[in-house]
Amino acid sequence: MSRDETSRDEDFETGLARALRRTAGEFPPPAPDLVRRSVGRGRRKRLFAAVRTTAAAAAVVAAGGGLLAVGPLGGHGDGTPERLRTGTQARVTGQPSSPKPAPPSGAEMIRTLTALLPPGGTVSAATGRDTQAGPGIVWPMAQLTYTTARGSTALDVTLTRPAPGIPAGQESQGGCLPVQVRPYDRCATEKLPGGAVLTTVQSFTYPNRDTGQKRWYAVLTTADGAEVTVQEFAGGGEKEASGPADPLLSLAELSAIVRSPRWESALAALPTPPRAPGTGREGVPGDRMTRVLKSHLPRGGTVSDVNAGDGLVQLVHDDGHGRTMVEADAQYDMADALAGHMGCAGVAGDCRSETLGDGTRVKTVRGQSEKGGSAQVWQVDVLYPDGRRVVAREVNSYAEAGPVTRPRPALSLELLRGIALDKAFFTG
């Protein structure tokens, strides 16, 4: 399996959340809390899911086999067309009769990335992927190993354009993910002249750990949504090293790569995928989710790191004795999907299941984190007879994979149950 495929598999969980919420009624989860575990894990892999499901591409002018820059990214560059290291002088005629631009090839992507690396190093194990048209677009990319006297680092670069109709941030590599999803990321965003946004992240190959191989990346998101993403793995290929060394290229150098005008014409020529189909399903507004959840929190504490979207809100509550992540998830039409899953059979931890007088099923579980840490996870799952579902959940940390911040979660099980049984999530 190639490194880009492995990386996409690693990050796919972050985009699975949104897809599951759209199709929960048709594709029931194998466990009662699968949807909950998927929701809120970010958008990083959804980008790559779109790679496989969008429509045909038309890309960049490649005169003489080189990518042409026709304008600045983020307000940098003079907009003059520039020949990359292709061995052939690029020509721009500006005539309407010019041949239709050809999609960038993997070889062109390799040449461009190589041209943007710091001098003094050597490149090996370079591979590229052509832009491919067909049932779904395959976006262009390149990957290679860059070596200096200080060691090796693996890099890859991908050009993409999100599908229209997807809410901002859900189909994008850019932007900082919530602390509940990526507790050990060090992330920053910068608004650039012209409307572009630069995101830089210092993370780890395994994002639920704060040790092991380091993964750093930078994303340039243009004003019209196209993106250049470059990432690197310290010590060589992804998962091929485990030491604490930093990658060879600094965040500033990664930023310079994604901001280079040399990608401009390629980004401008990327095709626009077809509009994402509507689900026809009503979603519980994120602002309502936030308002209802906050109304139940004990007074005197502070709230931070609110991450809210349709059907989901996560936040961090601090009562002065340590931080607790609290989450509420609301869904419709879940009766069939959860048939047989509201009992305690096969559930790890302390579980209690009951049926209320009106047929509402309530399942309460206290157990350990599924992410292998020592955090405690308390959860109340409510399924109404008409298929509406609310899951209220808390962890004695600011993230399930984060370090424990207090002996137990801050909210009592009775309070958590009151949150899950609050019908105001659906009525406002």
Side-chain angles (χ1 to χ4, degrees), residues 13-42 310-314 327-338 341 370 379 381 383 387 389-393 400:
E13 66 179 47
T14 62
L16 182 60
R18 306 295 178 182
L20 282 172
R21 278 223 302 271
R22 292 200 309 269
T23 58
E26 291 78 19
F27 296 91
D33 61 341
L34 177 59
V35 174
R36 189 274 309 153
R37 289 187 284 111
S38 299
V39 170
R41 292 188 177 173
D310 285 355
L312 169 75
V313 59
Q314 298 171 309
E327 173 184 307
D329 183 6
Q331 303 159 352
Y332 290 94
D333 303 325
M334 294 298 292
D336 292 339
L338 295 179
H341 292 297
E370 296 178 347
Q379 176 175 304
D381 195 340
L383 179 64
R389 180 197 191 194
V390 176
V391 182
R393 193 165 175 269
E400 186 172 343

Side-chain angles (χ1 to χ4, degrees), residues 122-193:
T122 60
V123 170
S124 62
T127 61
R129 183 179 64 207
D130 298 347
T131 307
Q132 298 178 21
I137 291 175
V138 176
W139 300 113
M141 65 84 62
Q143 59 184 10
L144 52 80
T145 298
Y146 176 70
T147 304
T148 71
R150 296 189 293 120
S152 297
T153 195
L155 295 110
D156 61 66
V157 62
T158 307
L159 309 183
T160 57
R161 182 180 297 280
I166 299 295
Q170 292 186 17
E171 189 78 33
S172 170
Q173 283 279 81
C176 295
L177 290 173
V179 67
Q180 297 93 335
V181 178
R182 301 293 284 266
Y184 302 111
D185 279 10
R186 295 173 59 188
C187 178
T189 60
E190 178 185 359
K191 187 73 174 290
L192 304 177

Side-chain angles (χ1 to χ4, degrees), residues 58-81:
V60 62
V61 175
L67 300 180
L68 301 182
V70 298
L73 289 176
H76 291 267
D78 60 7
T80 303

Side-chain angles (χ1 to χ4, degrees), residues 31 82 126 255 344:
E82 175 180 12
S255 298
C344 288

Side-chain angles (χ1 to χ4, degrees), residues 298 378 380 394 408-419:
W378 294 4
V380 179
E394 61 176 331
R408 62 178 61 192
L411 278 58
S412 67
L413 278 177
E414 289 74 20
L415 180 53
L416 201 64
R417 176 187 172 96
I419 294 172

Side-chain angles (χ1 to χ4, degrees), residues 225-299:
E227 292 188 334
V228 185
T229 302
V230 63
Q231 63 176 344
E232 65 172 330
F233 297 90
E238 181 181 5
K239 300 180 182 178
E240 293 178 3
S242 59
D246 289 345
L248 293 184
L249 272 64
S250 66
L251 286 181
E253 289 170 315
L254 293 180
S255 298
I257 291 175
V258 297
R259 295 181 67 173
S260 172
R262 300 187 179 199
W263 303 113
E264 178 73 8
S265 60
L267 290 176
L270 286 178
T272 299
R275 177 169 291 276
T279 64
R281 291 182 179 273
E282 178 186 3
V284 180
D287 57 351
R288 183 196 301 167
M289 297 287 300
T290 304
R291 184 172 62 252
V292 175
L293 178 58
K294 283 185 174 181
S295 71
H296 288 273
L297 297 179
R299 295 189 178 186

